[in-house]
Amino acid sequence: KNEVEQSPQNLTAQEGEFITINCSYSVGISALHWLQQHPGGGIVSLFMLSSGKKKHGRLIATINIQEKHSSLHITASHPRDSAVYICAVRENTDKLIFGTGTRLQVFP
Amino acid sequence: DTEVTQTPKHLVMGMTNKKSLKCEQHMGHRAMYWYKQKAKKPPELMFVYSYEKLSINESVPSRFSPECPNSSLLNLHLHALQPEDSALYLCASSQDVLAWTEEETQYFGPGTRLLVL
């Protein structure tokens, strides 16, 4: 079992839909990243969370430290949101552990 | 400027070749990272440099040799690679690998797609 699990692995949506991607982890962490990787490889760091909730535009990320769970929400999804979304946790030892990613496709 | 640049974008090399991947950032970051990513898999950390010194080597074979000539540059020297080393190689940087604050984040480059024949 991976230390960082994401669900779903693949997600398709119609433009405008509200999207949720989940991340669960089994190790003690000091922080959690949400990353976005577009075809071609480049990775963008969307959020870094250690508690609570953050919002950037149409993206919202939440984390529940007690439940070891984080969610990434996309409101009013758009085809340009199509990408792989990766959850990565910073273990208490400073090691960064990546989830397997969620492949999102948003159709017009 | 919040950009991490990597060159080349693509590289094809034979198993006897010697080549180098380059990474550059001008954000004043003191931590730089090399990751390897196989198709449809998450990135795997290879090396971490902190203040131009190698601080983490994740048991990477010696055919990969990192070098940090100064605080803005990070190289990955490749020699006698195997076909299974074909992957996307990602460079990242952050303010400080140890200063883990709310605003700390890693900035990733676009990657070098490597094919070993």
Side-chain angles (χ1 to χ4, degrees):
Chain A
K1 191 177 191 304
N2 293 334
E3 292 159 308
V4 181
E5 296 270 355
Q6 284 185 237
S7 64
Q9 287 188 331
N10 294 285
L11 184 55
T12 57
Q14 286 295 126
E15 184 172 356
E17 284 184 9
F18 180 83
I19 288 161
T20 296
I21 300 170
N22 295 300
C23 175
S24 296
Y25 52 92
S26 58
V27 295
I29 72 168
S30 54
L32 180 144
H33 282 283
W34 279 103
L35 310 171
Q36 181 192 54
Q37 186 170 31
H38 280 279
I43 294 179
V44 175
S45 183
L46 299 174
F47 294 102
M48 198 207 81
L49 296 161
S50 55
S51 65
K53 177 178 172 178
K54 283 189 176 179
K55 184 176 189 290
H56 290 155
R58 295 182 293 107
L59 302 178
I60 303 166
T62 63
I63 187 167
N64 185 318
I65 297 294
Q66 287 73 32
E67 293 185 6
K68 296 191 172 182
H69 181 267
S70 176
S71 293
L72 176 68
H73 306 285
I74 304 175
T75 60
S77 60
H78 191 276
R80 64 175 174 267
D81 297 326
S82 299
V84 176
Y85 291 84
I86 303 171
C87 169
V89 301
R90 172 77 63 171
E91 229 186 346
N92 290 333
T93 60
D94 261 351
K95 185 179 174 183
L96 198 61
I97 305 171
F98 290 80
T100 50
T102 295
R103 190 171 298 272
L104 171 66
Q105 282 189 293
V106 181
F107 293 99
Chain B
D1 181 9
T2 57
E3 193 181 18
V4 176
T5 58
Q6 289 187 243
T7 55
K9 288 185 179 177
H10 299 91
L11 179 62
V12 180
M13 61 187 289
M15 289 190 283
T16 58
N17 292 158
K18 282 186 183 181
K19 296 285 184 185
S20 296
L21 310 185
K22 296 186 186 304
C23 174
E24 192 166 358
Q25 56 87 16
H26 295 288
M27 294 178 275
H29 288 173
R30 303 315 300 265
M32 296 185 77
Y33 311 77
W34 279 116
Y35 292 88
K36 173 183 176 181
Q37 187 177 24
K38 302 283 277 185
K40 299 190 179 181
K41 297 286 187 184
E44 299 169 36
L45 183 65
M46 299 173 74
F47 302 104
V48 181
Y49 271 82
S50 177
Y51 289 82
E52 298 152 54
K53 289 187 169 25
L54 183 64
S55 64
I56 296 176
N57 177 342
E58 293 283 356
S59 303
V60 179
S62 60
R63 57 186 185 268
F64 294 93
S65 173
E67 179 200 14
C68 190
N70 61 56
S71 60
S72 300
L73 293 173
L74 184 66
N75 298 322
L76 186 63
H77 302 298
L78 314 172
H79 175 53
L81 294 194
Q82 304 296 309
E84 60 263 28
D85 296 321
S86 299
L88 179 70
Y89 288 85
L90 291 161
C91 172
S93 72
S94 63
Q95 188 65 37
D96 186 335
V97 72
L98 297 177
W100 197 248
T101 68
E102 272 296 314
E103 300 309 311
E104 173 73 352
T105 190
Q106 285 192 12
Y107 294 82
F108 284 82
T112 294
R113 199 164 290 281
L114 174 67
L115 177 63
V116 182
L117 300 176

